[in-house]
């Protein structure tokens, strides 16, 4: 008469079938689905770019505008008609008080960032990173040397909480946690650039 036991029994056959199809063993949800909390604008930008560049990394698309089923493609298509996709959160510009509901970047900055990052990810194309970095990296205080790593390895590097070390510690305090996995990585990859 326990709802948890009932759900476990109900999901077991589905999990076993999925494991057979995927030719793997282990718990169904743990191996397939991950969740990270995005604590600040830097983590949000890295995660957005990571997801939007998946088809390009997988060589299923050559550009953001041709990468089917991504938010960046939907935003580009809508921008051509000067519209905002209704199903997506809007870009509302730089953080300010009071902050309207939406993503704390300008759409133009995000599109430039995705395009720049996508060009750097391509192994078959030689090129140099422009000396002037996209303004969003400066604003988010992400070291450009770490950006490419984040856009390639976001999901595998971060397990639960993602953001600057300061944001991570603040979230741990609010959640009553004494320790969070990935503090060193957050300190490394989401800290402001230091010197040349």
């Amino acid at each position: 008469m326990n709802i948890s036991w009932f759900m476990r029994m109900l999901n077991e056959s589905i999990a076993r079938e999925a494991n057979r199809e995927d030719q793997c063993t282990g718990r169904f949800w743990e191996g397939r689905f991950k969740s990270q909390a995005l604590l600040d604008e830097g983590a949000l930008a890295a995660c957005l770019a990571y997801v939007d560049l998946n088809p390009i990394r997988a060589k299923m698309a050559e550009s953001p505008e041709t990468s089917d089923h991504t938010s960046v493609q939907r935003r580009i298509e809508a921008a051509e008609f000067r519209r905002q996709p209704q199903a997506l959160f809007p870009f509302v510009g730089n953080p300010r008080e009071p902050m309207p509901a939406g993503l704390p970047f300008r759409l133009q900055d995000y599109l430039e960032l995705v395009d720049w990052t996508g060009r750097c990810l391509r192994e078959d194309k030689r090129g140099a990173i422009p000396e002037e970095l996209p303004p969003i990296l400066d604003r988010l205080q992400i070291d450009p040397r770490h950006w490419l790593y984040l856009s390639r390895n976001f999901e595998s590097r971060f397990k639960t909480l993602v953001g600057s070390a300061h944001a991570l510690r603040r979230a741990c305090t609010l959640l009553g946690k004494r320790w969070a996995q990935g503090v060193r990585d957050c300190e490394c990859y989401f800290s402001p650039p230091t010197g040349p």
Side-chain angles (χ1 to χ4, degrees):
M1 299 300 160
N2 184 328
I3 190 74
S4 297
W5 186 261
F6 173 75
M7 291 305 294
R8 177 180 169 221
M9 297 305 290
L10 182 64
N11 288 330
E12 184 177 356
S13 62
I14 296 169
R16 287 182 188 272
E17 182 62 30
N19 282 345
R20 264 193 297 280
E21 286 177 11
D22 293 347
Q23 298 176 348
C24 67
T25 59
R27 293 182 168 264
F28 178 67
W29 298 109
E30 285 179 7
R32 291 172 179 82
F33 304 102
K34 297 178 177 74
S35 175
Q36 294 105 352
L38 307 176
L39 302 176
D40 57 20
E41 290 85 5
L44 178 62
C47 185
L48 284 170
Y50 174 82
V51 172
D52 281 336
L53 289 170
N54 271 337
I56 293 171
R57 279 194 310 276
K59 296 187 180 180
M60 294 171 59
E62 291 185 8
S63 68
E65 29 317 347
T66 61
S67 57
D68 293 332
H69 313 294
T70 61
S71 66
V72 73
Q73 182 191 42
R74 291 178 66 190
R75 290 182 193 283
I76 291 169
E77 289 170 354
E80 290 175 353
F81 299 102
R82 298 184 185 275
R83 293 189 181 149
Q84 159 65 33
Q86 289 189 2
L88 299 176
F89 232 35
F91 283 89
V92 295
N94 298 332
R96 60 193 177 277
E97 291 295 330
M99 185 67 183
L103 302 170
F105 320 113
R106 292 182 332 145
L107 176 61
Q108 178 183 348
D109 290 341
Y110 179 69
L111 294 178
E112 288 176 6
L113 180 66
V114 168
D115 185 62
W116 174 79
T117 306
R119 291 175 194 275
C120 293
L121 290 175
R122 292 186 58 183
E123 295 173 4
D124 64 329
K125 190 168 190 167
R126 288 183 294 154
I129 296 172
E131 287 188 30
E132 289 187 26
L133 299 172
I136 197 168
L137 290 182
D138 293 335
R139 280 201 322 271
L140 298 177
Q141 297 184 334
I142 296 178
D143 190 322
R145 294 171 292 184
H146 297 316
W147 179 255
L148 283 177
Y149 181 83
L150 286 171
S151 65
R152 288 181 181 152
N153 303 293
F154 186 85
E155 191 175 14
S156 62
R157 177 56 66 182
F158 302 101
K159 304 299 180 201
T160 54
L161 302 174
V162 186
S164 66
H166 173 70
L168 190 76
R169 289 185 184 101
R170 188 174 62 235
C172 286
T173 301
L174 290 172
L175 296 171
K177 295 176 98 178
R178 292 185 182 179
W179 176 83
Q181 185 178 5
V183 174
R184 286 192 185 132
D185 285 333
C186 287
E187 285 175 344
C188 176
Y189 296 111
F190 288 102
S191 59
T194 55

